[in-house]
Amino acid sequence: MSKALIQDYLHTQGLKLPLETVQIAYATLGAVFNLAEVKDLPSNLWQDTAHNVDAITFLPESDDNHAFLRAVYAVLDTTLHRFPAKVALYMAAEQTDATVVEAQPVCLQRIWHNQFTLPAVLNQEHAHLLAHRAAQTGWAYVIEDAQHWLRINELSEDECRLGFSQMLLPLCAPTGAVLGVLYVSSPEAHAFAEEAQAWWVAACLTLADALFHHFPATWWGQQDENDDDIPTGN
């Protein structure tokens, strides 16, 4: 992903973060994704299910999917070691009819989480939840005091209990289509300082790259595109 695209994401989302810090984190996490050195996941995610990789419930077992999920976990695990948090990664469900994709309500499927209490699937029934709204609108939310958001009716009590600090970052394709949402929370208010925000944004950008390249364009209800036009940090 180019400097211009990273800058565009920050500007579009209203995230006033130092570009260089995001770039460095993005380059680091891109290398982590490519290496995918993971020691604390079972050798076969579909056979040994003692983990929190929810994607095995909707992705078929294959070498490609196994390598992809381990690489995704490596990115999240690396970021979590720097900035501990509760995390859930959601991706948009496969579109079944590209001709009516704009009319279809958003449905999110959880790829991975670390004891996150939101449902594994977020659909139209969850349209009141901020995670669903982030996917529907493509807007990021950075919440420094969830109690305040609860008082102004922007969060429910259940959402507030996820953590007093929250970040909801949409994963976007180069076209602007929303591919998923990265949900990060902390039990403390004002928990995510500038560097932590920059690293989680970098994780979001890295994972957006990963999703966009791993799944065919038809998954997202789009036409196939020329790979030469697709920016990548990998």
Side-chain angles (χ1 to χ4, degrees), residues 133-152:
R133 277 188 277 164
Q136 187 77 57
T137 63
W139 294 114
Y141 295 91
V142 178
I143 300 169
E144 295 183 321
D145 182 358
Q147 289 283 7
H148 171 70
W149 284 61
L150 176 63
R151 286 193 296 270
I152 62 175

Side-chain angles (χ1 to χ4, degrees), residues 29-223:
L29 293 175
V32 168
F33 181 88
N34 287 330
L35 290 172
E37 293 183 352
V38 176
K39 298 180 180 179
D40 52 350
L41 282 183
S43 58
N44 188 304
L45 298 174
W46 282 263
Q47 293 179 10
D48 183 350
T49 58
H51 53 72
N52 292 320
V53 183
D54 302 292
I56 63 169
T57 63
F58 59 87
L59 293 182
E61 181 178 351
S62 71
D63 289 343
D64 283 347
N65 282 338
H66 192 268
F68 167 74
L69 292 175
R70 291 178 72 85
V72 165
Y73 174 79
V75 170
L76 293 168
D77 187 55
T78 297
T79 313
L80 281 165
H81 272 85
R82 285 178 174 267
F83 304 102
K86 290 292 185 183
V87 174
L89 174 63
Y90 288 87
M91 66 176 288
E94 183 175 12
Q95 297 291 345
T96 56
D97 188 348
T99 62
V100 295
V101 62
E102 293 185 1
Q104 292 184 19
V106 171
C107 180
L108 297 172
Q109 297 171 308
R110 195 170 62 200
I111 297 177
W112 181 86
H113 73 108
N114 58 351
Q115 306 303 319
F116 215 76
T117 55
L118 281 185
V121 177
L122 300 178
N123 52 36
Q124 197 170 16
E125 295 178 6
H126 307 98
H128 62 288
L129 296 179
L130 207 57
H132 194 277
R133 277 188 277 164
Q136 187 77 57
T137 63
W139 294 114
Y141 295 91
V142 178
I143 300 169
E144 295 183 321
D145 182 358
Q147 289 283 7
H148 171 70
W149 284 61
L150 176 63
R151 286 193 296 270
I152 62 175
N153 297 318
E154 289 293 332
L155 282 180
S156 67
E157 290 187 4
D158 287 342
E159 289 173 293
C160 189
R161 281 192 285 269
L162 294 172
F164 285 162
S165 293
Q166 301 183 21
M167 288 191 294
L168 296 88
L169 303 171
L171 282 66
C172 299
T175 60
V178 177
L179 309 179
V181 173
L182 179 60
Y183 203 143
V184 187
S185 73
S186 170
E188 300 178 2
H190 304 278
F192 299 118
E194 185 178 81
E195 187 180 11
Q197 289 187 38
W199 271 83
W200 281 114
V201 167
C204 169
L205 298 174
T206 304
L207 296 170
D209 280 349
L211 286 173
F212 191 69
H213 284 82
H214 185 71
F215 295 93
T218 51
W219 181 284
W220 318 110
Q222 300 175 0
Q223 298 297 318

